[in-house]
Amino acid sequence: MDSSLEGGEGRWAPRFFLIWSGQALSLLGSSLVQFALVWWMTRETGSATVLATATLAALLPQIVLGPFIGPLVDRHDRRRIMILADTFVALATAGLMAFFAFGAVRLWHVFAARALRSLGGAFHGPAMSASTSLLVPERHLARVGGLNQTLHGVMNIVSPPLGALIVMALPTHQVLAVDLATAALAVLPLLFVRIPSPPRQEALAKGEAAATGYLHDLKAGLAYVVKWPGLFGIVLLAMLLNFLIAPAGSLMPLVVTE
């Protein structure tokens, strides 16, 4: 494990937290964008159907494609995937920003942008998770996992009031520009920090392991989840909670305005 971290365990922290800090800023920018878009739809339409449709557009790409993306991420360079995913999300935001800036935005533009951003996130999330296990020594993985959960919790607390202040102070297209700036901060460290290859990819490169197809890897992953009752139960519970909570959460802006 240490040998794959370019110099041993002692050097993992600066490289990992450089990437992690950029990703944390990008997460903040994304949270502000989501808040701004939801508030814009609430203010412009006041429609529960519109908010529910926007939520569906943001969830469907990850729900439908999520199980199939993991094997793709495992077969390619995780650093490159994160760079491409962050850039893709930034381009989707830039296109929507242009519509807002020129006063030509329509609801379907917002739906499409949320779907495209979700698609980029569907690739970015697994790539970042897989990179974490390669950059962080095994004995520190639990701590880093807790740190990541804390980050998401803090974002859930900080983003709404901060988003409200920014939405009051700036027009929507300038709020979207904040996300472009934070996306650039996320990509920049990835251009300079190398993420080690997993042992299997190194073995394949040396001819020490037999190559397997995408469908083989997909079936193996699904079989692993199903055969581990505890993990399979957690997956089902998470699906149920998301199914029940997401619709209620999408209507919260209407409750606030009323």
Side-chain angles (χ1 to χ4, degrees):
M1 184 71 177
D2 290 348
S3 61
S4 66
L5 295 178
E6 294 181 348
E9 186 174 309
R11 296 181 55 188
W12 71 271
R15 292 181 294 110
F16 171 75
F17 283 107
L18 182 61
I19 295 177
W20 185 88
S21 299
Q23 298 300 317
L25 290 173
S26 180
L27 179 61
L28 176 61
S30 295
S31 299
L32 296 179
V33 165
Q34 300 299 343
F35 182 90
L37 293 179
V38 168
W39 188 250
W40 179 84
M41 288 184 289
T42 303
R43 186 178 56 204
E44 293 294 321
T45 69
S47 169
T49 302
V50 167
L51 294 177
T53 303
T55 300
L56 189 64
L59 289 177
L60 271 183
Q62 297 194 21
I63 293 174
V64 175
L65 299 177
F68 305 98
I69 288 176
L72 286 176
V73 171
D74 285 340
R75 301 169 74 87
H76 295 87
D77 187 337
R78 291 148 175 79
R79 183 175 70 98
R80 186 174 300 173
I81 290 175
M82 285 194 289
I83 292 173
L84 292 176
D86 279 332
T87 303
F88 180 80
V89 171
L91 290 175
T93 303
L96 186 61
M97 184 179 68
F99 285 119
F100 272 105
F102 291 105
V105 68
R106 300 291 183 270
L107 275 176
W108 74 267
H109 296 152
V110 177
F111 295 158
R114 285 175 66 92
L116 292 174
R117 287 172 56 86
S118 177
L119 178 61
F123 281 89
H124 182 277
M128 182 62 192
S129 297
S131 298
T132 298
S133 63
L134 295 172
L135 287 167
V136 179
E138 185 175 355
R139 69 189 186 92
H140 294 298
L141 283 176
R143 295 179 182 178
V144 171
L147 181 62
N148 287 332
Q149 292 298 319
T150 301
L151 173 65
H152 286 279
V154 170
M155 290 299 174
N156 289 335
I157 296 173
V158 171
S159 297
L162 183 58
L165 289 174
I166 293 180
V167 167
M168 291 175 61
L170 300 174
T172 304
H173 67 277
Q174 292 185 10
V175 178
L176 299 182
V178 173
D179 186 49
L180 298 183
T182 56
L185 293 175
V187 171
L188 188 61
L190 292 170
L191 298 176
F192 301 99
V193 178
R194 175 186 167 299
I195 296 176
S197 299
R200 175 166 175 76
Q201 285 190 356
E202 294 181 353
L204 287 173
K206 297 176 181 178
E208 298 175 355
T212 57
Y214 168 79
L215 291 179
H216 176 275
D217 293 345
L218 177 62
K219 291 178 181 177
L222 293 176
Y224 180 80
V225 173
V226 172
K227 289 180 179 180
W228 189 357
L231 179 60
F232 188 55
I234 291 175
V235 171
L236 292 179
L237 179 61
M239 291 173 58
L240 178 62
L241 289 175
N242 285 328
F243 179 77
L244 295 175
I245 294 174
S250 67
L251 302 180
M252 185 60 68
L254 293 179
V255 176
V256 173
T257 56
E258 296 296 332

